[in-house]
Amino acid sequence: LTEDIRYRLLKILADEPQISQRDLAVRLGISVGKTNYCLTALVDKGLVKIGNFRKAQNKLAYAYDPETGVLTWKPKSGSDRFIKTFNSRFAGKPAFTTLERGYRQGRIDGQLFYAHRVIWKMMTGDDADDVDHINGDRSDNRWVNLRN
C-alpha cells in the first residue's frame, strides 16, 4: 500500500463516507480487488473502521480535507427556508473556527468539541483519549500532524 494510495483513499473516505468499493476503485484508478486489499490493510492498521462510516451521523455534516486540516460544513438537503439559509451562510465554509488555548473547537448538538478529536473520530472511528499535534501547533489539524 503506497502512501499516495493510502492518502487518496483516506481523503475520499473522509469526503464521501458512503462510497462503495467499486466507486472508490474507479476514483483511485485501481481494481476492486486492490481497493478491498487497501481497505483491509487500513482497517488492520486501525486507520479505518468500515462500520463507522455507515453509522456515524454527526460527521456527515462536515467534510475534512486531510491535506489542509480544515473541516468545512457540508450543504444540507431540503428546500425549506432554514436549510436554504444554512446553506447560503455556512455550506463549504470552515467549521470549528473558534480558538480555545490554541485548539480549534465547535459545537455539535450544543456540546463543545475540539476539531482534532472530531477529525480523529472521522478518520479512525475511535474516541481517542489523547490526540496530539506532532508539530506542537494546536490549530494544525492536517492528518499527517495528528497522532494518538
Side-chain angles (χ1 to χ4, degrees):
L1 181 62
T2 68
E3 287 297 316
D4 177 59
I5 290 175
R6 180 186 320 193
Y7 170 77
R8 288 178 27 223
L9 187 131
L10 287 171
K11 183 166 176 23
I12 292 168
L13 286 176
D15 291 343
E16 302 174 53
Q18 306 278 339
I19 194 168
S20 69
Q21 285 190 34
R22 181 171 308 283
D23 291 339
L24 192 55
V26 169
R27 295 273 301 277
L28 292 170
I30 59 177
S31 70
V32 175
K34 187 167 185 178
T35 301
N36 183 272
Y37 172 81
C38 293
L39 281 171
T40 302
L42 292 171
V43 168
D44 290 346
K45 287 186 175 190
L47 294 174
V48 172
K49 287 198 173 183
I50 300 294
N52 287 327
F53 284 100
R54 283 190 283 266
K55 295 175 188 170
Q57 292 303 311
N58 283 340
K59 73 175 185 186
L60 298 179
Y62 309 102
Y64 171 62
D65 183 345
E67 190 173 298
T68 64
V70 176
L71 283 166
T72 55
W73 292 101
K74 286 185 179 178
K76 296 179 183 281
S77 58
S79 59
D80 69 37
R81 194 176 84 190
F82 169 77
I83 291 174
K84 286 181 180 179
T85 300
F86 175 89
N87 286 341
S88 68
R89 291 183 63 199
F90 299 106
K93 295 184 175 118
F96 290 78
T97 55
T98 305
L99 291 177
E100 174 66 30
R101 296 187 343 251
Y103 295 107
R104 297 197 179 281
Q105 66 178 8
R107 293 189 181 273
I108 299 175
D109 297 329
Q111 184 176 355
L112 274 175
F113 289 93
Y114 288 119
H116 60 283
R117 291 188 178 214
V118 172
I119 291 164
W120 194 267
K121 174 76 171 177
M122 289 173 72
M123 298 296 282
T124 69
D126 293 331
D127 291 315
D129 291 332
D130 187 33
V131 178
D132 184 32
H133 294 84
I134 296 167
N135 68 4
D137 180 350
R138 295 174 172 179
S139 66
D140 182 356
N141 291 316
R142 293 173 299 129
W143 184 244
V144 297
N145 190 44
L146 300 178
R147 67 179 169 201
N148 181 337

